[in-house]
């Protein structure tokens, strides 16, 4: 299906409105080549609270939710299309990222961690985050040491994923330049969560009720990064500017009905 974008032709359009329309053009469904540009445009234009104001107007092809976004103070009335699986998958993925506590297994013998002073401070400040990732570290002294060093006493375990010291090093690296207590996940954990989120999300081909569509759209207001699913698939694109239909004013035509039937006399 080909969806055409509505174009403004009004001369002297205010620059703020022009910037909005340029952003919508960049985020349009026709932009299939530059996902980063589309995501950046959407993030500038739509705030998280805007998702709660969007109205689900229907489902297209059992795979996409059509939503209407009206912002009267800015003169905006636009139609967006949301990938129901990608949007639900991203919500489930971010929920798993924030809430999952990965099971751990005690080591037979504690393993001393060879960390820089800066990394050791980060590890101490974020022991709870490390533990939720399955890595349990404690401070204990070796023979002849006055101050205990950090030791790993348990590491994460999963049926399908094998974790090792490189994953702990990645976690500590990710903690740099982030406030203490901020959740971080290593690459293996993110891949594991992405797979779980995919399996539990609404699938393409499933008919949705109005309430379910509204729930998926409003969940996007809680996401940290709502524009792409964990695998990079776009969640949302702009379809059309609906204000152009309100401005549509066809030229009046007068029909001479007498002349219309004269040829048959």
């Amino acid at each position: 299906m080909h969806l055409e974008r509505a174009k403004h032709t009004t001369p002297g359009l205010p620059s703020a409105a022009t910037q909005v329309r340029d952003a919508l053009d960049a985020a349009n469904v026709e932009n299939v080549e530059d996902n980063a540009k589309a995501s950046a445009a959407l993030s500038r234009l739509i705030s998280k609270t805007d998702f709660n104001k969007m109205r689900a107007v229907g489902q297209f092809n059992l795979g996409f939710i059509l939503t209407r976004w009206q912002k009267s103070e800015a003169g905006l009335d636009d139609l967006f299309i949301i990938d129901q699986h990608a949007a639900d998958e991203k919500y489930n993925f971010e929920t798993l990222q924030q809430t999952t506590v990965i099971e751990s297994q005690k080591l037979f013998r504690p393993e001393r961690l060879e960390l820089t002073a800066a990394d050791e401070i980060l590890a101490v400040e974020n022991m709870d985050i490390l533990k939720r990732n399955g890595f349990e570290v404690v401070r204990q002294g070796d023979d002849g040491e006055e101050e205990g060093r950090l030791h790993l006493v348990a590491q994460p375990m999963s049926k399908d994923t094998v974790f090792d010291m490189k994953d702990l090093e990645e976690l500590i690296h990710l903690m740099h330049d982030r406030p203490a207590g901020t959740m971080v996940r290593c690459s293996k954990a993110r891949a594991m969560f992405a797979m779980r989120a995919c399996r539990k999300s609404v699938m393409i081909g499933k008919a949705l009720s109005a309430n379910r569509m509204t729930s998926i759209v409003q969940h996007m207001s809680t996401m940290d990064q709502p524009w792409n699913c964990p695998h990079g698939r776009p969640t949302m694109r702009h379809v059309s500017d609906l204000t152009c239909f309100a401005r549509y004013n066809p030229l009046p035509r007068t029909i001479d009905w007498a002349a219309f039937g004269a040829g048959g006399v």
Side-chain angles (χ1 to χ4, degrees):
M1 184 179 76
H2 178 65
L3 299 171
E4 294 186 354
R5 288 172 289 178
K7 299 285 186 181
H8 279 273
T9 57
T10 307
L13 197 66
S15 78
T18 301
Q19 292 174 5
V20 168
R21 287 300 149 199
D22 287 345
L24 288 172
D25 280 346
N28 194 265
V29 71
E30 292 179 356
N31 178 9
V32 296
E33 297 179 354
D34 196 339
N35 186 39
K37 182 178 180 181
S39 298
L42 287 169
S43 65
R44 291 196 305 270
L45 185 65
I46 299 176
S47 67
K48 291 185 178 182
T49 57
D50 287 329
F51 288 108
N52 293 323
K53 301 172 186 175
M54 291 183 178
R55 181 165 62 90
V57 297
Q59 186 182 23
F60 169 66
N61 206 29
L62 293 181
F64 303 91
I65 301 168
L66 294 171
T67 64
R68 186 177 184 181
W69 179 49
Q70 293 175 287
K71 207 167 186 177
S72 56
E73 66 274 15
L76 298 175
D77 189 358
D78 291 270
L79 191 68
F80 288 86
I81 190 167
I82 294 175
D83 184 319
Q84 65 190 43
H85 176 73
D88 195 35
E89 182 182 26
K90 189 57 178 289
Y91 171 74
N92 289 326
F93 172 76
E94 291 200 0
T95 300
L96 288 170
Q97 287 260 90
Q98 290 298 322
T99 62
T100 300
V101 177
I102 300 176
E103 292 185 16
S104 60
Q105 184 176 35
K106 292 289 185 181
L107 298 181
F108 177 73
R109 178 181 299 168
E111 183 175 346
R112 177 170 168 167
L113 298 178
E114 300 296 337
L115 302 175
T116 65
D119 285 349
E120 186 163 320
I121 291 172
L122 277 175
V124 171
E125 291 177 343
N126 292 277
M127 279 188 175
D128 182 60
I129 298 298
L130 293 177
K131 190 171 184 178
R132 290 176 64 185
N133 278 281
F135 290 100
E136 189 174 347
V137 298
V138 298
R139 188 182 291 281
Q140 61 184 40
D142 292 331
D143 293 339
E145 285 188 332
E146 294 183 1
E147 183 179 355
R149 300 296 300 272
L150 288 184
H151 287 69
L152 180 68
V153 296
Q155 68 180 29
M157 58 173 291
S158 172
K159 182 175 66 174
D160 302 317
T161 305
V162 178
F163 296 91
D164 54 32
M165 287 297 296
K166 289 184 178 180
D167 301 307
L168 176 59
E169 292 171 1
E170 181 184 356
L171 286 172
I172 295 175
H173 175 73
L174 291 171
M175 290 172 180
H176 285 276
D177 301 322
R178 300 194 189 194
T182 302
M183 177 54 69
V184 292
R185 300 291 188 179
C186 67
S187 302
K188 288 179 184 177
R190 292 196 298 271
M192 180 175 69
F193 294 149
M195 185 63 67
R196 291 180 184 177
C198 181
R199 288 197 296 261
K200 70 181 296 187
S201 299
V202 62
M203 293 298 176
I204 297 295
K206 181 177 177 59
L208 302 178
S209 67
N211 286 340
R212 186 71 176 102
M213 288 188 285
T214 298
S215 175
I216 290 174
V217 174
Q218 292 186 350
H219 279 164
M220 296 180 76
S221 69
T222 68
M223 299 181 198
D224 182 45
Q225 296 292 331
W227 314 118
N228 299 280
C229 81
H231 305 101
R233 181 171 165 178
T235 57
M236 179 180 184
R237 285 292 183 267
H238 178 252
V239 176
S240 181
D241 167 22
L242 299 180
T243 61
C244 68
F245 298 106
R247 293 194 304 270
Y248 179 63
N249 186 23
L251 294 175
R253 293 182 296 174
T254 302
I255 299 176
D256 186 347
W257 292 106
F260 180 79
V265 178

